Amino acid sequence: EALAQRTMACNAALNDTIEYMRQDGVRIAIFDATNSIKERRDHIAASLAEAGIGPNKIIFLESICDDEALLEESIRTVKASTPDYRGVDEEEAVADFHKRRKQYMDVYETLDESDSNKAYIKVINCKQFVVNSIRGHLALKVVHFIMNLHTSPRTFYLTRHGQSGYNLLGKIGGDAGLSDSGLEYARRLARYAEEHIGSHTVVDAEGNEVKRTRPARLWTSTMRRTNETAQFIEHTEIGPDDEDYGGWVNFRPTARRNLDELYAGSCDGMTYAEIEEVYPDEFKRRQKDKLAYRYPRGESYMDVILRLEPLAHEMERTREPVLIVGHQGILRILYAYFMGLTREEAPYVSIPLNHVIQLTPHAYGCHEKRVCLMNKKEMLSDGQDEPVTSMPTLRMSVEGLAEMAGDPVLNAPSC
């Protein structure tokens, strides 16, 4: 009876897949190792072929882990935190998962030479990859993405540059330096980076808690305001006695052009009021569809998404904490990617000045924490806000975010 129910559920999922694949656009169907026997995989391939979906649009994905240390770490950090084990004692969840894994091992049939006519990716201990019969642009992008994934916990820290001279004037774009308030935020960010990102507390051999340097990365855009914001962060070298990171320079500054702010083209250096007066039709188009709107001779959010794709892959690959000093438009896209928001939601995410947004991805979502390093009362007013329909949306689940709604200082103008 249980097998019949499982088969019914698998077939329902397969029918949903066929319906999805028939929609417009370039699509790939990826089937994981829950399709555990060769007969099932053959049935999937035959069903899709019957529906007119060729083998070049199907990828089978298999993950093999026989490294006991890696397996135990993965079970405790990933599997035991799944919805299946919500509210269950950790040791009980780990024991149950080992039992489930043993049952899988008893019946599982691995992908091998007999599957040479299928497109598949085998991941072995999260570091070796076997790729078979993968063709096409999108399929190869899937391969590249999977090869950058890992199960190690990591944290990203997103922050806008400090308040700039253009923020004070309500202008968008440009390459202005920081205001006095912006320089003060830069100093506070340096202290935060040293105390909370580039160090952590460990227990030494005597059982005492001591603070140790933690390897961390620093990424900025190539623009003046982000580099000035990062200027006070210290770049200390980890000693050669460290087995993994000897000689590592902490927070070594890396300027990335794909982190540059969305380019406003002909509107660069203007206020929103000036754009509405000089380019009224453009202003209305942006208000109507902020995601797809492209500034005259400039960029759209859709353009930014494309240029941030390689960066997102690199963020998936990294294992050390990463501090990204960027711009509102750019950080909106990165935030939306890790928080699972739609592209349509991304241009309206609230990324206020003077805040560090800590993102910790996990297997079933992303934890978020926001830290305010400088209250708006300590700043001068910008005097200009985004048009009302372009203001960031609230994510009410984030503590303290509601009070930022409509704040023209913290939500300083951006592209």
Side-chain angles (χ1 to χ4, degrees):
E1 183 183 348
L3 180 59
Q5 290 179 342
R6 179 178 177 81
T7 301
M8 185 183 300
C10 288
N11 288 335
L14 182 56
N15 290 334
D16 288 343
T17 301
I18 292 172
E19 183 180 346
Y20 170 80
M21 294 293 289
R22 283 173 169 167
Q23 297 175 22
D24 290 339
V26 180
R27 297 168 186 269
I28 291 286
I30 304 172
F31 296 91
D32 67 12
T34 53
N35 303 286
S36 55
I37 61 175
K38 180 177 173 56
E39 181 183 355
R40 177 65 193 171
R41 294 192 291 266
D42 288 343
H43 171 68
I44 289 172
S47 298
L48 290 172
E50 188 178 336
I53 300 167
N56 61 326
K57 294 182 177 293
I58 309 166
I59 298 176
F60 290 96
L61 176 63
E62 178 179 275
S63 178
I64 299 172
C65 185
D66 53 17
D67 181 321
E68 292 300 324
L70 179 62
L71 180 63
E72 189 68 19
E73 179 187 9
S74 176
I75 291 174
R76 291 186 178 276
T77 59
V78 179
K79 304 302 183 184
S81 62
T82 68
D84 291 351
Y85 296 116
R86 186 174 288 120
V88 178
D89 176 75
E90 181 179 335
E91 295 304 320
E92 184 181 345
V94 170
D96 181 76
F97 190 83
H98 275 296
K99 182 179 177 181
R100 290 169 59 177
R101 180 173 178 270
K102 176 64 169 59
Q103 291 172 339
Y104 252 105
M105 289 175 65
D106 291 341
V107 300
Y108 191 78
E109 297 173 359
T110 188
L111 291 159
D112 55 26
E113 292 79 5
S114 65
D115 296 292
S116 60
N117 62 329
K118 299 184 182 71
Y120 65 77
I121 307 167
K122 295 179 71 167
V123 183
I124 304 169
N125 293 325
C126 297
K127 59 185 179 182
Q128 291 179 286
F129 303 88
V130 178
V131 179
N132 182 76
S133 194
I134 300 290
R135 296 181 178 87
H137 177 68
L138 182 57
L140 288 169
K141 288 179 74 173
V142 170
V143 172
H144 184 249
F145 177 73
I146 289 174
M147 293 178 74
N148 281 284
L149 298 178
H150 61 85
T151 58
S152 302
R154 77 276 193 203
T155 303
F156 306 115
Y157 298 83
L158 312 181
T159 183
R160 288 176 68 181
H161 55 80
Q163 185 189 60
S164 71
Y166 264 29
N167 289 148
L168 279 171
L169 300 173
K171 295 182 176 183
I172 64 174
D175 198 19
L178 298 183
S179 67
D180 290 342
S181 296
L183 287 170
E184 175 58 25
Y185 176 71
R187 295 185 180 93
R188 296 187 188 189
L189 178 64
R191 289 195 294 270
Y192 180 86
E194 180 183 1
E195 296 172 5
H196 297 280
I197 305 176
S199 62
H200 62 156
T201 302
V202 298
V203 178
D204 63 15
E206 288 74 36
N208 302 314
E209 289 190 349
V210 293
K211 211 156 194 179
R212 296 271 170 83
T213 299
R214 177 171 61 176
R217 300 175 183 269
L218 171 63
W219 297 349
T220 70
S221 75
T222 64
M223 309 194 84
R224 179 182 172 189
R225 53 193 182 274
T226 60
N227 286 280
E228 288 186 2
T229 303
Q231 67 182 302
F232 301 113
I233 297 175
E234 294 188 4
H235 315 301
T236 56
E237 183 174 335
I238 296 178
D241 55 329
D242 190 296
E243 184 177 334
D244 296 319
Y245 289 96
W248 173 284
V249 177
N250 231 18
F251 295 114
R252 186 195 299 272
T254 303
R256 296 176 174 271
R257 191 166 295 279
N258 52 356
L259 282 173
D260 287 355
E261 181 60 297
L262 188 158
Y263 180 48
S266 300
C267 300
D268 194 66
M270 301 175 70
T271 67
Y272 287 112
E274 289 170 343
I275 294 172
E276 186 175 17
E277 179 181 352
V278 178
Y279 302 109
D281 292 338
E282 295 293 333
F283 185 86
K284 291 176 182 176
R285 287 178 55 219
R286 181 179 182 274
Q287 294 289 86
K288 186 177 180 180
D289 186 0
K290 192 174 179 182
L291 173 67
Y293 172 75
R294 179 180 287 117
Y295 283 99
R297 299 184 181 181
E299 289 183 299
S300 70
Y301 271 96
M302 292 294 288
D303 297 326
V304 170
I305 289 172
L306 288 175
R307 69 169 155 98
L308 284 177
E309 183 181 299
L311 188 93
H313 284 195
E314 184 159 0
M315 291 174 73
E316 293 283 8
R317 180 183 63 80
T318 58
R319 286 165 167 76
E320 301 80 20
V322 182
L323 170 59
I324 300 179
V325 183
H327 307 267
Q328 182 166 241
I330 301 302
L331 299 183
R332 281 171 169 168
I333 301 300
L334 295 177
Y335 176 95
Y337 170 76
F338 284 102
M339 293 301 293
L341 303 184
T342 65
R343 294 187 302 184
E344 288 73 22
E345 292 176 290
Y348 304 98
V349 171
S350 175
I351 308 287
L353 289 173
N354 304 338
H355 285 67
V356 176
I357 302 175
Q358 178 180 328
L359 299 181
T360 306
H362 54 88
Y364 294 89
C366 185
H367 294 304
E368 175 185 6
K369 178 182 178 183
R370 296 194 178 211
V371 180
C372 178
L373 300 186
M374 188 174 181
N375 191 284
K376 70 170 185 175
K377 295 178 181 177
E378 303 175 74
M379 301 171 61
L380 296 173
S381 173
D382 294 293
Q384 176 74 34
D385 195 5
E386 279 201 76
V388 65
T389 59
S390 294
M391 285 300 293
T393 57
L394 296 181
R395 292 184 61 82
M396 301 304 293
S397 60
V398 182
E399 183 178 352
L401 186 56
E403 63 190 43
M404 301 173 201
D407 191 308
V409 179
L410 297 181
N411 289 304
S414 177
C415 300

